[in-house]
Amino acid sequence: MSTKNKILDAAESLFAEHGFNGTSLREITSKAEVNLAAVNYHFGSKKELIKAVMSRYMNVLAPLLEAALSDICEQENKPSLTEVLTAFIEPLLALNEVKENGTSNFLQLLGRGYTDSQGFLRWFLTTQYPSVISLFVNAVQKAYPELTAEEMFWRLHFTMGTVVFTMSSSDALMDIAKNDFDKDLSIAEVIQKVIPYVAAGVGAPISD
Amino acid sequence: MSTKNKILDAAESLFAEHGFNGTSLREITSKAEVNLAAVNYHFGSKKELIKAVMSRYMNVLAPLLEAALSDICEQENKPSLTEVLTAFIEPLLALNEVKENGTSNFLQLLGRGYTDSQGFLRWFLTTQYPSVISLFVNAVQKAYPELTAEEMFWRLHFTMGTVVFTMSSSDALMDIAKNDFDKDLSIAEVIQKVIPYVAAGVGAPISD
DNA sequence: GTCTATAACTAGATAGAC
DNA sequence: GTCTATCTAGTTATAGAC
């Protein structure tokens, strides 16, 4: 296994657990059992390392998501919101084949990146992967055409918030659920629980 | 105005904007125009300062919320979920009288504290203000008795996520809304937008 | 109570030997 | 490509003069 990959793996799990700001290069290199200087040699800076960690997943996820959402946009009959949101499940679970716990790690990283380091991840997603976002908006528009662009904007951000926040604390939540209800849930099952919630939220009647 | 309050005010807005980890004592004291050593003299440590900033709001909010939720729990007829969630609005807006932008700042702090510094705020809320949480759970149970305790647990955390995450990036979202839709929203209007969303989410039909 | 000065430590980044 | 050693700049916290 290459030094570069050892660093990526160590950085990924530490970033997911403690956030980007909360993880030092020294912690990463000592977990990866490589030299401190190796990060700057291979990646140039901590910021570039963060991008590399995210890209490893986004490069797998983006094409799968684009395909799934395109299918929905191009189909004849009107999709349901649940259908649109369910389109995310398979691509997300495919990340488990990139690495063990890939889905969970990626979603936690997404959550970290949204709140850490003043919206750097918002920039990363909107500039590097804009087509996924616009396909998603199109799919939702097809499922719920009465929704105005403005209301759509808010509800999509609420949804992003729900998912990202849930996932960034999913370890803690799964622990509590195990203690209180004796249920051992997988990340896939948590996703299954959140979909009816966000589908109902996005599909809420327009209050005006 | 006392040094102690100058520190609290400066810390509050910097914490809200850059998170707890992302704000140094030097930034706080220079914004407050007091000496660096004053923080440790008045509060003992950065951690205690964080608690003091949160307590200033929680001590106003908690009794108001308890009263509003108690009313709902004790009323004869069955409340709607919207009613339960709407009970939060007045207490939250009352924080604007503690300080200008109090509501917005407090909700942003809540968001920061949930993701920063490994769940310290979760501990803070559940240990220092447990009665608010249990009253809220009771109110929701009364509004939607078919919901199992386990499903309730998940949906309440999804709701917490939606609200907290939205508020922690509310400045950015309000900026985008202003640019894209030429709408200048207040924090009260954002709350009005999020309530139908979370009410629909909590009230979603039980899938399984 | 408020200040200066500084201790004690950690951060990210890099120069240069091998 | 990998190492040690070190630089610079940042952090929290505190001792002691006023």
Side-chain angles (χ1 to χ4, degrees):
Chain A
M1 196 185 206
S2 70
T3 297
K4 207 168 168 174
N5 273 319
K6 280 198 273 186
I7 293 172
L8 281 171
D9 285 347
E12 176 184 314
S13 60
L14 288 171
F15 284 155
E17 198 171 354
H18 303 119
F20 299 124
N21 294 334
T23 305
S24 69
L25 294 183
R26 285 175 170 79
E27 290 173 296
I28 294 168
T29 52
S30 85
K31 174 160 185 165
E33 296 179 301
V34 301
N35 189 272
L36 170 63
V39 169
N40 275 16
Y41 177 78
H42 287 285
F43 298 95
S45 70
K46 186 179 177 179
K47 205 159 193 169
E48 289 300 316
L49 171 60
I50 295 174
K51 285 192 205 172
V53 167
M54 293 307 298
S55 294
R56 197 161 55 147
Y57 284 111
M58 284 304 292
N59 292 340
V60 173
L61 183 66
L64 292 173
L65 263 184
E66 284 182 32
L69 291 169
S70 291
D71 277 1
I72 289 179
C73 288
E74 280 156 23
Q75 78 184 15
E76 300 243 329
N77 48 329
K78 177 174 160 178
S80 70
L81 282 170
T82 305
E83 215 174 317
V84 174
L85 292 161
T86 302
F88 279 76
I89 294 184
E90 264 191 52
L92 281 173
L93 293 180
L95 300 183
N96 280 326
E97 275 154 54
V98 175
K99 226 195 117 190
E100 190 162 318
N101 290 321
T103 305
S104 167
N105 279 359
F106 171 73
L107 288 169
Q108 285 188 57
L109 289 170
L110 213 56
R112 296 294 181 180
Y114 246 73
T115 47
D116 276 23
S117 51
Q118 54 249 38
F120 147 73
L121 203 62
R122 194 195 306 270
W123 165 87
F124 180 73
L125 292 177
T126 52
T127 60
Q128 308 293 302
Y129 304 94
S131 56
V132 173
I133 295 170
S134 71
L135 275 167
F136 179 51
V137 170
N138 284 350
V140 173
Q141 202 119 55
K142 204 179 169 197
Y144 191 175
E146 299 85 1
L147 212 57
T148 63
E150 193 198 346
E151 203 59 44
M152 165 90 80
F153 163 80
W154 285 103
R155 294 190 181 182
L156 293 190
H157 275 282
F158 296 157
T159 301
M160 181 73 92
T162 312
V163 174
V164 149
F165 180 92
T166 300
M167 295 312 162
S168 69
S169 47
S170 60
D171 285 347
L173 295 179
M174 287 176 353
D175 278 354
I176 300 172
K178 189 174 180 180
N179 269 320
D180 291 7
F181 310 107
D182 200 35
K183 285 254 179 100
D184 219 341
L185 291 179
S186 67
I187 194 75
E189 288 166 307
V190 177
I191 296 175
Q192 293 283 5
K193 279 196 183 297
V194 83
I195 283 184
Y197 182 97
V198 294
V202 174
I206 298 154
S207 64
D208 154 285
Chain B
M1 194 184 208
S2 68
T3 297
K4 206 166 167 174
N5 273 319
K6 281 197 273 187
I7 293 172
L8 281 171
D9 284 349
E12 175 184 314
S13 61
L14 288 170
F15 284 155
E17 198 171 354
H18 303 118
F20 299 122
N21 294 335
T23 304
S24 68
L25 295 182
R26 280 179 170 77
E27 290 172 298
I28 293 168
T29 52
S30 86
K31 175 161 185 164
E33 294 178 303
V34 301
N35 189 273
L36 170 63
V39 170
N40 275 36
Y41 177 78
H42 287 285
F43 299 95
S45 71
K46 185 178 178 180
K47 205 159 194 170
E48 289 300 315
L49 172 60
I50 296 175
K51 284 192 205 170
V53 168
M54 293 307 299
S55 295
R56 197 162 57 148
Y57 284 112
M58 283 305 292
N59 293 340
V60 174
L61 183 66
L64 292 174
L65 263 185
E66 285 181 31
L69 291 170
S70 291
D71 278 0
I72 289 180
C73 287
E74 279 154 23
Q75 78 184 15
E76 299 243 330
N77 49 327
K78 177 174 161 178
S80 70
L81 282 171
T82 304
E83 215 174 316
V84 174
L85 292 162
T86 302
F88 279 78
I89 293 185
E90 264 191 52
L92 280 173
L93 293 181
L95 300 183
N96 279 328
E97 276 154 53
V98 176
K99 227 195 116 189
E100 191 163 317
N101 290 321
T103 305
S104 167
N105 280 358
F106 171 74
L107 288 169
Q108 285 187 58
L109 289 171
L110 213 57
R112 295 296 180 181
Y114 246 74
T115 48
D116 275 23
S117 50
Q118 53 250 42
F120 146 73
L121 202 63
R122 192 195 307 272
W123 164 87
F124 180 74
L125 291 178
T126 52
T127 60
Q128 308 292 303
Y129 304 93
S131 57
V132 174
I133 295 169
S134 71
L135 275 168
F136 179 51
V137 170
N138 284 350
V140 173
Q141 202 118 56
K142 204 178 170 199
Y144 193 175
E146 300 84 0
L147 212 57
T148 63
E150 193 198 345
E151 203 60 42
M152 166 90 79
F153 163 81
W154 285 103
R155 292 189 182 182
L156 293 190
H157 276 282
F158 296 157
T159 300
M160 180 74 92
T162 311
V163 174
V164 148
F165 181 92
T166 300
M167 295 312 164
S168 68
S169 47
S170 61
D171 285 346
L173 294 179
M174 289 184 332
D175 277 354
I176 300 171
K178 191 174 179 182
N179 269 320
D180 290 8
F181 310 107
D182 201 34
K183 283 256 178 95
D184 220 340
L185 291 179
S186 67
I187 195 76
E189 289 167 306
V190 177
I191 296 176
Q192 293 283 5
K193 279 196 182 296
V194 83
I195 283 184
Y197 182 96
V198 294
V202 175
I206 298 153
S207 64
D208 180 17

